[in-house]
Amino acid sequence: MQQIISFLLKNKNFLLYLFLLALSLIFTIQSHSYHRSKFVNSANFLSGGVYGTISNIQDYFKLKAENKILTEENARLREKLLEQTAYTSQETYPSTQSNEFAFLPAKVLKNSYSKTDNIITVKIGEKDSIHQDMGVITSKGIVGVIDITSNDYSTIISILNSTFQTSAKLKKSNHFGTLKWNGKDPHLVQVSDIQEQAPVAIGDTIETSGRSVIFPEGISIGTVEEKILDASNNFYTLSVRLINDMTDLGHVYIIKNRDLKEIEQLENTTAYE
Amino acid sequence: MNKKILIPVIQFVFLMLAQIIVFSAINLFGYINPYPYILFLLLFPFITSRSLLLVVAFVTGLIMDVFGDSGGIHAAACLTLAYLRPFALRIAFGVSYEYNAIRISNTSLYERFVYITILVGIHHFILFSLEVFNISSILYVFQKTLITSIFTILICVLFTIIFGNQKK
């Protein structure tokens, strides 16, 4: 017994080191799984507050650029509105889809893009009924998925994160693939498992497929920059240049799926019967 | 006595704010962010017991992780840095040095450079290995470690030169 105690005392620094190291490794491993650590994240009062103050100051310098983005979006929406009125005069426009999703605006407090697992912090939280697994987009394209929420803040798993994955398709045909990021260039993402028969050309547009309940169909992702056939000659892996500049995010929209509960309920009952 | 506590506290607040507001947002060439906040651990009073240093390093790293949403990578890297600090001191400033006698502002530039380089290298290698977390990207880890270390070391040495002389 005495020997054990003297051993512990002699090596107390090393043991303390091992203990704390184990703790930090647990946090690290947690952070590499899809739903991350509940303790170490920036959706809290302290870091949210600090980032809020910083971004308040930075906003003044970005006002001009932000205005430009808003005007562009206005123009685009106006165009769409015109299109739609043209449609309705000819035939009834299918309106079931447009009511399914609601969009909530949020301000980006912190954005990172230089790491392998990038996280974005936004100022919107449970108070505005934001929950895990809601999609996030900008006026230009896809951004990520809500991860952890606190009362006033939320973190987003960016598409520039090794754990992020969603389904994507070609705009001109219905060939599906899986969107992932290889952790290198923040302007390029990879879409794998596109059927070899798919008519892919350089410059084609890639958009969300609408297969998941998180993103509605037709949100643009990027344009094809390079296509590589895999070893078995069956599938393409596409290198896609993002339309959305992930290194420059000001405001984002959180997508709320109004039918989510209904869909989940349906899926659960189907699975158990 | 008060001054002895006050100086590390001021250093801590200044370096952490500088890190979070400025250095973590540089993104030079798209992926280089220097981490000069570890200067706080490098300069932390040399007379402190090792256990206290370990705890301080762990907490410092964890705060960085909270702000950077990075799990525990900074905590692990800072902890290892703190654990190996006495060895680095011995290598850089010679076997015969006494903890009490050393002052970073009294050391030669070369010794200071060696000391900072050893610990920054260790810290950054652990940091990026855990961040990338993929053995097949080991070359990318080495590349990132090397390039980021150069910037961190430069900034750290500059800081010790600028702020070191006023303390006399």
Side-chain angles (χ1 to χ4, degrees), chain A residues 12-14 16-25 27-29 31-32 36-37 39-44 46-48 50-51 54 58 110-117 119-121 155 183-184 186, chain B residues 17 20-21 24-27 30-33 35 49-52 54-55 58 62-63 65-77 79-81 83-84 126 128 130-133 137 140 144:
Chain A
K12 68 172 195 245
N13 285 326
F14 184 62
L16 181 68
Y17 170 68
L18 281 188
F19 170 69
L20 292 176
L21 189 69
L23 209 61
S24 49
L25 286 180
F27 287 149
T28 306
I29 290 163
S31 81
H32 284 282
R36 301 149 25 80
S37 159
F39 309 107
V40 187
N41 64 70
S42 69
N44 63 50
L46 176 72
S47 49
V50 171
Y51 281 130
I54 298 169
Q58 285 172 342
K110 192 208 79 178
N111 177 23
S112 81
Y113 46 85
S114 58
K115 297 185 239 169
T116 335
D117 293 317
I119 302 287
I120 301 164
T121 313
T155 57
K184 294 199 172 106
Chain B
L17 282 180
I20 292 160
I21 298 171
S24 290
I26 286 181
N27 291 313
Y31 68 99
I32 300 169
N33 284 325
Y35 292 103
S49 75
R50 281 182 83 180
S51 328
L52 178 66
L54 285 176
V55 175
F58 181 70
L62 212 58
I63 292 172
D65 283 325
V66 168
F67 276 93
D69 279 295
S70 44
I73 60 173
H74 282 283
L79 201 61
T80 311
L81 180 151
Y83 187 72
L84 297 175
I126 291 167
F128 293 129
L130 290 178
E131 185 196 301
V132 175
F133 215 60
S137 306
Y140 178 64
K144 210 169 167 178

Side-chain angles (χ1 to χ4, degrees), chain B residues 3-16 35-49 52-53 56-57 60 78 81-82 84-86 88-89 92-93 97 99-109 111-117 119-120 123 152-167:
Chain B
K3 208 180 164 194
K4 265 184 190 164
I5 300 172
L6 201 64
I7 287 173
V9 171
I10 292 172
Q11 272 178 348
F12 178 76
V13 174
F14 170 74
L15 283 169
M16 288 307 253
Y35 292 103
Y37 79 97
I38 56 171
L39 195 61
F40 166 69
L41 298 172
L42 299 179
L43 298 180
F44 201 75
F46 297 126
I47 35 168
T48 28
S49 75
L52 178 66
L53 183 67
V56 167
T60 309
C78 285
L81 180 151
L84 297 175
R85 196 178 83 161
L89 279 169
F93 302 119
Y97 89 102
Y99 289 164
N100 308 355
I102 274 221
R103 274 210 171 163
I104 206 83
S105 50
N106 293 343
T107 55
S108 75
L109 196 64
E111 285 174 331
R112 208 184 299 174
F113 178 75
V114 171
Y115 172 59
I116 291 173
T117 305
L119 289 179
V120 167
H123 176 275
T152 307
I153 292 164
L154 258 173
I155 293 167
C156 284
V157 171
L158 273 179
F159 269 1
T160 58
I161 292 170
I162 295 168
F163 296 110
N165 290 335
Q166 294 165 354
K167 270 181 212 159

Side-chain angles (χ1 to χ4, degrees), chain A residues 203-223:
Chain A
D204 279 1
T205 308
I206 302 284
E207 55 182 29
T208 54
S209 68
R211 270 188 167 185
S212 72
V213 290
I214 296 173
F215 293 106
E217 191 182 339
I219 290 184
S220 50
I221 295 168
T223 51

